[in-house]
Amino acid sequence: MQAIRCARAARSLPRLANTCKSARSITFSLPARNVGRTRAPWFVDPEPVPLTYTKRMVPPHLQAANDAPSVPVDAPEALKSLHAQLVQSPHLDTSELVVSPAVLPPPGPPLQARAPHGRRKRGGIPHKDSGIDSMVGGIWSWVVIAQVKEGTENRGAIESVVRLIRKTLLKMEPPVPLAPKRRENGSGWVMIDGGSFAIHVVSKSSREKYFNQGDW
């Protein structure tokens, strides 16, 4: 049986050799212009296109206007650096961005002196000469008011500006100490306490309601 298989294999060897020889002749008979050349797909440019820009351009509807009021010369360096970052934010109305010394509200009517009354002697109002009316000053020396564009206060604009402010202040040398971040309630007004200054991120309606002084 083994001898029969060997005889069949010997008879098939010349036939296999002829097949390989014909395939080799077909391969080498191809035209010379098609050897070693492949056609590029239709979506590939024949030559590389040079890049004409190095930075991604900001869409026109997100470009920030350069109409922000200037920063006072005697402002702290932290507020000057923060102002330079805020004018680049696409969420802010830069024409309403204000860095100003704190403006005290106008004083109210004078208190009327009234003696304590009742069994526990409560409810008395001291006289105006007791020194209460002579207290001058506020909690913060400087105030920053950043107003977001109208209609974006409920779309994450206030939260985005708050993140930018916290990131800028915490990366300063030395960093400005800030209170821990807490979840906002969507009131349209967020205040950040920077120690000697306060930063208010407000919507247009909140600014007209709470910051309607002419000095702002």
Side-chain angles (χ1 to χ4, degrees):
M1 192 67 180
Q2 187 69 22
I4 296 175
R5 291 179 180 176
C6 293
R8 290 180 179 176
R11 287 198 301 268
S12 62
L13 285 177
R15 189 183 307 168
L16 181 61
N18 294 332
T19 303
C20 294
K21 186 182 297 184
S22 60
R24 191 181 299 113
S25 63
I26 293 174
T27 302
F28 287 101
S29 63
L30 292 175
R33 63 176 181 273
N34 294 332
V35 177
R37 178 182 297 181
T38 57
R39 180 177 298 179
W42 62 270
F43 53 84
V44 177
D45 294 329
E47 296 180 0
V49 179
L51 297 178
T52 58
Y53 59 90
T54 58
K55 185 178 179 181
R56 183 178 179 182
M57 300 179 61
V58 181
H61 65 285
L62 294 180
Q63 291 181 357
N66 295 325
D67 53 354
S70 59
V71 184
V73 180
D74 55 343
E77 293 298 329
L79 294 185
K80 293 180 180 179
S81 301
L82 179 62
H83 182 272
Q85 295 295 327
L86 291 178
V87 295
Q88 301 178 10
S89 175
H91 303 292
L92 289 179
D93 186 356
T94 54
S95 62
E96 301 294 338
L97 180 60
V98 175
V99 178
S100 169
V103 179
L104 296 178
L111 298 177
Q112 300 294 329
R114 186 176 65 180
H117 59 280
R119 180 181 299 179
R120 298 187 179 181
K121 302 298 181 180
R122 294 181 178 179
I125 299 178
H127 195 267
K128 63 179 181 179
D129 295 334
S130 61
I132 295 179
D133 294 340
S134 61
M135 297 176 61
V136 179
I139 302 177
W140 302 284
S141 302
W142 290 84
V143 174
V144 179
I145 302 178
Q147 176 183 322
V148 298
K149 295 180 179 179
E150 187 176 5
T152 63
E153 59 271 10
N154 295 326
R155 300 180 180 178
I158 294 180
E159 291 77 7
S160 177
V161 175
V162 169
R163 287 194 297 268
L164 175 62
I165 294 173
R166 293 183 60 89
K167 180 180 178 181
T168 303
L169 296 179
L170 292 176
K171 284 190 174 182
M172 291 183 178
E173 292 295 338
V176 178
L178 300 176
K181 185 178 180 181
R182 61 185 181 87
R183 188 174 181 178
E184 310 300 337
N185 56 3
S187 61
W189 179 13
V190 176
M191 192 204 73
I192 300 176
D193 186 358
S196 61
F197 56 86
I199 306 170
H200 302 273
V201 184
V202 296
S203 61
K204 183 178 180 180
S205 59
S206 298
R207 178 164 187 167
E208 293 175 351
K209 182 177 181 180
Y210 300 108
F211 299 92
N212 55 359
Q213 296 95 332
D215 295 333
W216 295 114

